[in-house]
Amino acid sequence: MTTTRPSLMIKSHARNVLLVGALAALPLASGSAQEQAAPGKATQDEIQQFCTSIADSARDQRYLLQKQELEELQADVDARIAVLEKRREEYEDWLSRRNAFMKQAEGNLVEIYKKMKPDAAAPQLQEIDTILAAAIIMKLPARQSSLILSEMKADKAAMVAAIMSSAGDPTTSKDPS
């Protein structure tokens, strides 16, 4: 009988284990070889999976951007509405001041100055409130108004004329003098 050494038995046993391991791994290696042979299919699947996984987040991001744009537009519209409201209030204020201004000249006072001679009316109108004088002169006929203004002192006539011209201008400030 032949004697075998123990080290040879261990080597033989290790070789057998490696051989069995290699045979067991062979189907796995052949599968990966098939996958490497068809890289397009795996890549397409990965692309499809990636696209479907980010579709919801992309849609959410798009909605968020649209919402931000709408909020910016809404803020712009609100700002413009505020400006328009402010202008409307200014116009209503101007209109009420103009109506009050014109009411000051109504009544018998205008009739009194209408019957006066321009050289007699001018000194009196230059002594009263400038706004009231302008209101009265505006109610008089144009010919008589021009004669009265020509009889007034130049600085007072200029102030009256400025008030009269600003009465028809909606951009006039609140202080007509």
Side-chain angles (χ1 to χ4, degrees):
M1 180 169 205
T2 32
T3 59
T4 59
R5 294 181 165 158
S7 63
L8 286 178
M9 283 179 48
I10 293 173
K11 285 182 185 177
S12 171
H13 183 53
R15 197 178 314 144
N16 289 340
V17 169
L18 281 174
L19 186 60
V20 170
L23 290 175
L26 186 62
L28 292 175
S30 67
S32 66
Q34 288 175 352
E35 286 178 10
Q36 288 176 359
K41 183 177 182 192
T43 306
Q44 288 295 340
D45 289 343
E46 290 173 359
I47 291 171
Q48 183 67 29
Q49 183 181 7
F50 176 77
C51 290
T52 54
S53 68
I54 67 163
D56 290 338
S57 62
R59 185 180 319 112
D60 292 344
Q61 186 65 28
R62 190 170 47 249
Y63 289 155
L64 182 64
L65 289 173
Q66 289 174 348
K67 181 182 176 188
Q68 288 173 345
E69 287 178 25
L70 287 174
E71 288 172 352
E72 290 172 6
L73 289 173
Q74 183 65 43
D76 186 42
V77 167
D78 291 342
R80 289 181 183 197
I81 287 172
V83 168
L84 288 174
E85 283 294 320
K86 182 181 176 190
R87 287 186 182 163
R88 183 187 60 81
E89 290 171 5
E90 288 174 357
Y91 175 74
E92 287 175 353
D93 181 53
W94 171 83
L95 186 61
S96 66
R97 284 186 292 117
R98 185 177 186 286
N99 289 339
F101 172 77
M102 295 306 282
K103 283 183 181 180
Q104 287 180 350
E106 289 180 1
N108 293 330
L109 193 57
V110 174
E111 289 300 317
I112 292 170
Y113 282 102
K114 195 182 276 188
K115 293 178 183 174
M116 290 177 76
K117 292 185 179 185
D119 59 340
Q124 291 180 10
L125 288 171
Q126 88 183 19
E127 293 301 319
I128 65 172
D129 181 49
T130 310
I131 295 174
L132 180 59
I136 291 169
I137 293 173
M138 281 182 70
K139 292 283 189 165
L140 296 174
R143 180 173 173 83
Q144 189 175 8
S145 296
S146 64
L147 290 173
I148 291 173
L149 286 173
S150 67
E151 292 289 329
M152 293 175 83
K153 291 182 185 174
D155 61 334
K156 186 72 170 190
M159 286 189 350
V160 169
I163 291 170
M164 290 169 58
S165 69
S166 69
D169 185 7
T171 60
T172 303
S173 68
K174 295 181 180 188
D175 184 15
S177 56

